[in-house]
Amino acid sequence: MFGDFFSRALIAGVGLALVTGPLGCFVVWRRMAYFGDTMAHSALLGVALSIILSLNMTLGVFAVAAFVAGALIILQRQATLSTDALLGILSHSTLAVGLVLVGFLTTVRIDLMGFLFGDILAVSVEDIAVIYGGGIAILAILILGWRPLLASTVSPELAEAEGLRPEVSRLVLMILMASVIAIAMKLVGVLLITSLLIIPAATARRLSATPEQMAAVAAGLGAVAVIGGLYGSKTWDTASGPSIVVMALIVFAVSLAVPAGRLFGRRPVHGA
């Protein structure tokens, strides 16, 4: 179906960017960057457990990331530690436990660098099917739940007064992030996933006038980063995952020269 590994990488990367852009907007609006890192770090633990228990790796990573999200919610309710302290504990602990478990898997050859930094050039047709199938499901949930998600982001108190249940919206957002991390791990690696969520969304924030515009622009900028990064990787023989993130950073740096909100001629999105 897709005869060339480079074309498969482009198709997979663009498909992922179309999902991480809109979802990353909520990460930026809610200041959840550290939470994204925590869930991404837990992916390696999911990989190790999947191998030990002979589970599907995507499902294993999703299960562990979702478990970490649930653990954070439970620990936050105890109010004994600040959220950033809890995130630090969960982030480094899951990464360390994952690395220790990988060390015990002496009979299985594991490409640790591939899991940490991704290998988008090794993507298969089956991986593309998972990315687009999962991506369509994630975008459908975002679209259907856009109003409660946005309302609980802008003002949780007002959303609760309107009967929108902001805690449910927060849980849904965490599950969606776990899903993205599960399908993105093979492409950009556990250490770079959060960058693809945050950088295009942060760039789009300066250029957009409404939340909807910001989501669309973030998706487009993510696609530009993927395409530019892959061609740069091919030209200069650099690692593909980091090259995509570097391209996203370049786009962000260039956007700083554009007056905020200039893309649509209105004030940029600051609230949300």
Side-chain angles (χ1 to χ4, degrees):
M1 184 177 179
F2 303 111
D4 181 68
F5 70 93
F6 189 76
S7 64
R8 291 197 300 269
L10 282 173
I11 293 169
V14 169
L16 178 63
L18 295 179
V19 179
T20 57
L23 186 59
C25 292
F26 285 98
V27 175
V28 170
W29 291 332
R30 288 174 175 252
R31 298 176 176 87
M32 294 176 64
Y34 198 9
F35 173 74
D37 269 334
T38 300
M39 297 190 74
H41 288 174
S42 72
L44 192 61
L45 176 58
V47 170
L49 291 177
S50 297
I51 296 174
I52 293 172
L53 301 176
S54 299
L55 300 175
N56 177 276
M57 196 163 293
T58 300
L59 293 178
V61 171
F62 169 78
V64 170
F67 172 79
V68 170
L72 176 63
I73 293 176
I74 293 173
L75 291 172
Q76 282 179 324
R77 289 176 178 173
Q78 295 183 1
T80 55
L81 287 173
S82 63
T83 298
D84 62 333
L86 291 173
L87 287 172
I89 293 171
L90 290 172
S91 174
H92 301 300
S93 298
T94 53
L95 180 61
V97 172
L99 288 170
V100 169
L101 289 180
V102 167
F104 283 116
L105 299 173
T106 55
T107 60
V108 181
R109 183 181 178 184
I110 298 178
D111 181 10
L112 191 58
M113 293 298 290
F115 286 123
L116 292 176
F117 298 103
D119 188 6
I120 192 172
L121 297 178
V123 70
S124 66
V125 175
E126 290 75 16
D127 294 326
I128 292 175
V130 170
I131 291 166
Y132 276 83
I136 290 172
I138 292 170
L139 288 178
I141 294 172
L142 274 180
I143 293 171
L144 292 174
W146 184 262
R147 180 175 175 271
L149 283 171
L150 189 61
S152 62
T153 297
V154 174
S155 175
E157 295 79 11
L158 183 58
E160 188 171 4
E162 294 180 357
L164 295 178
R165 303 179 66 184
E167 280 300 317
V168 174
S169 296
R170 183 166 178 253
L171 180 60
V172 168
L173 189 61
M174 289 180 173
I175 296 300
L176 293 180
M177 288 183 64
S179 302
V180 165
I181 288 168
I183 65 177
M185 178 188 63
K186 185 172 182 179
L187 274 68
V188 292
V190 300
L191 298 183
L192 302 178
I193 292 173
T194 315
S195 301
L196 201 55
L197 281 166
I198 295 173
I199 300 177
T203 307
R205 187 171 191 170
R206 301 189 67 260
L207 305 174
S208 308
T210 67
E212 293 76 15
Q213 286 177 353
M214 179 173 164
V217 172
L221 293 176
V224 169
V226 167
I227 295 171
L230 283 175
Y231 274 100
S233 173
K234 184 178 180 180
T235 302
W236 291 292
D237 193 25
T238 55
S240 54
S243 296
I244 292 172
V245 178
V246 169
M247 185 63 192
L249 177 62
I250 292 173
V251 173
F252 174 75
V254 171
S255 75
L256 296 178
V258 180
R262 176 61 60 86
L263 186 62
F264 293 98
R266 295 169 59 188
R267 295 182 64 186
V269 177
H270 291 297

